[in-house]
Amino acid sequence: MPGLAILLALFPHIPGVSAGLGWTAQHNAVVSVSWNLVMFGTGLFVSRFLRLLHPRKVWIAGLVVMTVGYTLVGFFHADEVELMLTSCVADIGSGIVVATAPVHVVGVVSRDEQGLGSGMLNMLISLFGAIVTAGAYALLTAHSTVVDGTAFYQDAGYAWVFWLGALVTLLALALSLFIPRLRDPELDDVPSG
């Protein structure tokens, strides 16, 4: 989603043709640093307390906040303030999810399978990222105006891209019900050598 927000920021604003914000790359970088710092800070903060909290509940809370955030971005993305506030909400959830994902991998696989589990996590992130990106471009294309062979995206397309993010996050929330019970890796028997 953040990668697709770059299209919203950099595409020109041409009434009736393109609903982009028309920012420069530098302006986009300055504005987007806010939600990136929020995600980074949230991930650091949450990771410090995961041993004291129930990781599944933290994970679910992160997905709920992320869903709310992407829904809000879909409705409110017309200027810097709207995009910063709504994206910060989404990235609070993202920071929580990024911090808790490795805990779930380590908590459901054996010590011998942790490398494989981590590899699967990264592979699935890439796979679903590719699928969601293709879906997002289909939504943008469905709400576009083509001028001299160049597609310019309308506001409805951008809104649906963020709502797609919310729907995918809801799907992840539903699939979270099937995560096996987490075990404490520190309680595993350590093989004597």
Side-chain angles (χ1 to χ4, degrees):
M1 295 301 111
L4 292 165
I6 292 172
L7 295 176
L8 170 64
L10 300 182
F11 263 60
H13 180 75
I14 305 168
V17 177
S18 175
L21 297 173
W23 298 348
T24 64
Q26 180 181 7
H27 184 76
N28 179 57
V30 169
V31 172
S32 65
V33 77
S34 61
W35 60 78
N36 287 309
L37 285 174
V38 164
M39 182 177 166
F40 179 74
T42 302
L44 280 177
F45 179 78
V46 168
S47 66
R48 301 280 294 167
F49 296 101
L50 275 174
R51 289 195 181 275
L52 307 172
L53 303 169
H54 191 283
R56 185 186 303 256
K57 290 178 182 175
V58 175
W59 168 266
I60 289 172
L63 289 172
V64 168
V65 172
M66 207 167 139
T67 301
V68 169
Y70 282 136
T71 301
L72 289 173
V73 178
F75 285 111
F76 305 105
H77 55 265
D79 58 33
E80 290 94 335
V81 174
E82 285 186 4
L83 201 54
M84 283 171 55
L85 291 175
T86 56
S87 293
C88 281
V89 172
D91 277 4
I92 288 170
S94 296
I96 294 169
V97 168
V98 167
T100 56
V103 173
H104 284 88
V105 170
V106 171
V108 298
V109 300
S110 71
R111 216 176 267 259
D112 296 335
E113 296 171 321
Q114 286 180 6
L116 178 63
S118 295
M120 288 290 292
L121 172 66
N122 289 323
M123 184 194 69
L124 289 171
I125 288 170
S126 297
L127 174 65
F128 283 103
I131 292 169
V132 170
T133 300
Y137 274 101
L139 289 169
L140 285 170
T141 301
H143 299 280
S144 67
T145 302
V146 178
V147 178
D148 292 331
T150 301
F152 293 94
Y153 306 122
Q154 301 297 322
D155 188 62
Y158 291 118
W160 273 108
V161 163
F162 295 114
W163 293 332
L164 173 65
L167 290 171
V168 169
T169 307
L170 275 176
L171 175 63
L173 188 58
L175 291 174
S176 295
L177 300 174
F178 300 101
I179 295 174
R181 186 172 179 272
L182 301 181
R183 59 173 179 66
D184 187 345
E186 291 184 359
L187 299 178
D188 281 353
D189 293 331
V190 179
S192 56

